[in-house]
Amino acid sequence: DAGVTQSPTHLIKTRGQQVTLRCSPKSGHDTVSWYQQALGQGPQFIFQYYEEEERQRGNFPDRFSGHQFPNYSSELNVNALLLGDSALYLCASSLVRQGYTDTQYFGPGTRLTVL
Amino acid sequence: AQSVTQLDSHVSVSEGTPVLLRCNYSSSYSPSLFWYVQHPNKGLQLLLKYTSAATLVKGINGFEAEFKKSETSFHLTKPSAHMSDAAEYFCVVIDTGFQKLVFGTGTRLLVSP
């Protein structure tokens, strides 16, 4: 049973560029959440996708956008990159049961460096 | 809003001695609480979760945590540390209104031989 997978593993971009990160959820899961983990800090919630719609959003600017596909996989897009966007981006998948989100399982993350 | 406070940024123990990582929570109702572990350059792995069943929760790799409502605590313990336990540990509460995880600032566990 494949767990949560993310690609790419590492990415280097320059300020002002745009980036797309990808996530495939654990088999059987229908919900994908994205988190940003800056160096030395705990992960911060970016947004969550369920049934191809953004279900909830954290305190992140509109430069951060996402998408969920019919096969439940997801993309995170960041436009106009800033140095402060350098972080580990984590994807978590889960299953909605009776209206609430069950345990979230994390992928290995994508390390984004903005120069 | 729900939140968690991890009381120690670093904890150092010797191999074979007990581990105690402290976490206090703030919630207006009975929360769902988790402990996740993160090894260097790795993603997050679920250690255990509390969802209002038994107050003593057993997790993987010999870890357990006790939910104490009177103390608003959810401390993580292990009777005997192993070198492979060295990692960053996060106490987490789920914001059930918004389905998102709220992380503490993390505790780095150092294990010396």
Side-chain angles (χ1 to χ4, degrees):
Chain A
D1 178 23
V4 181
T5 59
Q6 293 186 243
S7 63
T9 306
H10 296 86
L11 207 50
I12 299 175
K13 293 286 188 179
T14 57
R15 282 177 296 174
Q17 286 189 310
Q18 178 264 344
V19 68
T20 297
L21 310 182
R22 295 176 176 82
C23 172
S24 292
K26 185 177 169 67
S27 177
H29 285 183
D30 58 8
T31 302
V32 172
S33 303
W34 287 92
Y35 294 81
Q36 180 196 65
Q37 186 179 18
L39 198 61
Q41 298 183 22
Q44 299 290 318
F45 175 76
I46 303 175
F47 41 53
Q48 184 180 89
Y49 277 84
Y50 172 65
E51 293 187 337
E52 302 181 49
E53 291 190 357
E54 185 181 288
R55 192 182 192 193
Q56 188 60 38
R57 188 178 185 90
N59 190 25
F60 279 79
D62 292 343
R63 298 187 297 108
F64 290 77
S65 63
H67 188 77
Q68 185 179 35
F69 299 94
N71 66 353
Y72 306 119
S73 67
S74 177
E75 289 182 348
L76 164 65
N77 300 292
V78 187
N79 294 323
L81 284 168
L82 304 174
L83 294 179
D85 294 332
S86 295
L88 180 68
Y89 288 85
L90 294 162
C91 168
S93 76
S94 52
L95 180 65
V96 172
R97 298 178 187 272
Q98 298 176 326
Y100 75 96
T101 301
D102 204 350
T103 303
Q104 296 185 24
Y105 293 88
F106 284 82
T110 294
R111 173 73 62 186
L112 172 64
T113 301
V114 182
L115 302 177
Chain B
Q2 282 73 250
S3 65
V4 289
T5 302
Q6 294 185 244
L7 301 175
D8 307 290
S9 59
H10 293 81
V11 170
S12 294
V13 300
S14 299
E15 191 174 23
T17 63
V19 175
L20 170 63
L21 305 183
R22 299 182 296 164
C23 173
N24 288 347
Y25 70 88
S26 174
S27 177
S28 55
Y29 47 85
S30 184
S32 291
L33 294 161
F34 307 79
W35 277 97
Y36 283 85
V37 61
Q38 186 174 37
H39 289 91
N41 300 313
K42 301 285 187 182
L44 291 155
Q45 181 183 20
L46 178 68
L47 275 179
L48 50 81
K49 65 177 180 179
Y50 167 76
T51 54
S52 74
T55 56
L56 182 62
V57 183
K58 294 189 182 298
I60 62 171
N61 301 334
F63 284 94
E64 62 182 36
E66 186 171 7
F67 174 77
K68 292 186 176 180
K69 187 175 180 179
S70 60
E71 300 176 10
T72 62
S73 69
F74 190 58
H75 301 335
L76 181 70
T77 60
K78 183 174 181 178
S80 177
H82 191 273
M83 294 296 291
S84 61
D85 294 328
E88 188 87 17
Y89 291 79
F90 291 97
C91 181
V92 182
V93 64
I94 190 164
D95 187 332
T96 53
F98 299 105
Q99 319 276 339
K100 68 179 184 182
L101 298 181
V102 178
F103 284 77
T105 51
T107 297
R108 181 165 297 276
L109 177 64
L110 306 169
V111 183
S112 56

